[in-house]
Amino acid sequence: MDKKLTRRQIVRAAGAGLVLSVTPVAWAKRGAAPQFIAVRIWPANAYTRVTLEASQRLDYKYFTIDNPRRLVIDIRGVTLNSVLQSLGGKVQKSDPYIGGIRAGQNTPDTVRVVIDLKTAVNPQVFALNPVSNFRHRLVVDLYPQSTSDARDPLMALLEDYSQGKISSSGTGADTPPVSEPPPDSGGRSGGKRQAIVMLDPGHGGEDPGAIGPSGLREKDVVLSIAREMKKRLDAMGYRTYLTRNEDIFIPLGVRVAKARKQKADVFISIHADAFTNPSARGTGVYALSTKGATSSAARFLAQTQNNADLIGGVKTVGIRSVDSAIMDMTQTVTNRDSLALGQRVLTELGKLNKLHKGNVDRANFAVLRAPDIPSILVETAFISNPEEERLLGSSSFRQKCAQAICDGVQKYINNAVLARR
Ligand SMILES: [Zn+2]
């Protein structure tokens, strides 16, 4: 009756009509529409990673804008939710690359994520299929644009990796085998070069490794042990590097490539074991076998460790072929040295904790595939065992563990030098 009221009703109806014109599209897609279920940011000097996890694969495109520098990601077929809105609050002031992040519903069908950049970056944006506990992930890696920093070859290697120059299954064909004089004893005497030790704390970033019953994370434990080892090895007179010194995901192939770039004399990957049965415990040392595992437990372990690239998340790159005949010859000598190194370390660790077995176990670990560097993987203890989790959580055990591995390394290097005199 009232014209005004009628007009208001008309306006309301029009408003509803506007909504309705959108809603059928949303309804039609509702069954399949992706939902954002988690967002994470992993800030690090080498690169910062942003992960958007969703219930379905995300349909995205991205571009960069200058003045000011931004990376824009448009994701189609999704609706903004509180999970995605929380992304901006997760940016740390100390992030080397990200100044801020905003997310908004740009069109009824498209969510736009704008990343304000502090510096010029080389962005790598890619989707990952579900694996382990993760659903569909959209990963945004922000690499520094200039990787000329010779002090940290990790950045250059990550850049090579992101461009497909290093495969995830071992070493890149671009890096020739290192043929160096044998390591001198740790000392600086006689002007001979110091032995170089590459420490590889496993996992990191998106990949937590194994998680103990009370929540202790393998990636944190092994980084702490590696840092303790570096202190000791530096004091012993070696040159020591870490494949990662941050909570960052580093692909297995890049870890190996970093060791080769530094011309490492030994490579030691540090881990903490886990098993479905919480009573499993003890320390183990592993070396590479390309011709089958020496036990089914070792094979199982290698398979789970090699999954790290899937869990941590790498852009799929082509596998490069290498001259397998030359590789095999080099590998035979290296395997012998790896076993000698492993046995030394195992003997020292046996003074600290119960061992699985008295000898070095072997399987096809991707991270041990440097054809020219004696390489071992140390499973310090079982993080899935409540008692050993408590040990791994204590700084005194970590220090003892670091000392034991360092003692083994020193004995191996000293012996290797004696054998060549
Ligand atoms: Zn591990």
Side-chain angles (χ1 to χ4, degrees), residues 52 71-73 75 84 87 101-103 111-115:
L52 310 181
L71 173 68
V72 178
I73 304 147
I75 306 164
L84 189 61
L87 188 56
I101 302 183
R102 289 159 281 136
V111 160
R112 171 165 286 186
V113 177
V114 180
I115 302 179

Side-chain angles (χ1 to χ4, degrees), residues 282-353:
T283 299
V285 175
Y286 298 82
L288 178 74
S289 165
T290 51
K291 300 186 174 70
T294 46
S295 73
S296 56
R299 186 185 309 116
F300 173 77
L301 182 65
Q303 278 164 1
T304 55
Q305 296 299 343
N306 292 347
N307 268 343
D309 276 357
L310 295 174
I311 295 164
V314 296
K315 196 175 175 181
T316 315
V317 291
I319 309 276
R320 302 206 151 214
S321 62
V322 286
D323 187 332
S324 59
I326 292 171
M327 237 27 167
D328 278 356
M329 277 162 53
T330 317
Q331 195 86 64
T332 305
V333 178
T334 309
N335 284 349
R336 199 188 56 206
D337 291 343
S338 299
L339 289 174
L341 169 64
Q343 195 57 52
R344 295 277 182 184
V345 170
L346 195 67
T347 303
E348 297 304 318
L349 283 168
K351 299 172 187 171
L352 181 66
N353 197 21

Side-chain angles (χ1 to χ4, degrees), residues 202-203 209-210 218 270-272 305 379:
H203 313 280
E218 180 184 359
I270 305 153
H271 290 258
Q305 296 299 343
E379 292 284 356

Side-chain angles (χ1 to χ4, degrees), residues 49 128 131-132 134 137 161 168 200 202-209 218 249-253 255 271 301-314 366-367:
R49 168 170 289 191
L128 293 169
V131 63
S132 185
F134 294 112
R137 286 176 290 173
Y161 182 83
S168 59
D200 173 47
H203 313 280
E206 282 277 281
D207 173 18
E218 180 184 359
F249 167 72
I250 305 289
L252 297 173
R255 295 169 191 256
H271 290 258
L301 182 65
Q303 278 164 1
T304 55
Q305 296 299 343
N306 292 347
N307 268 343
D309 276 357
L310 295 174
I311 295 164
V314 296
V367 81

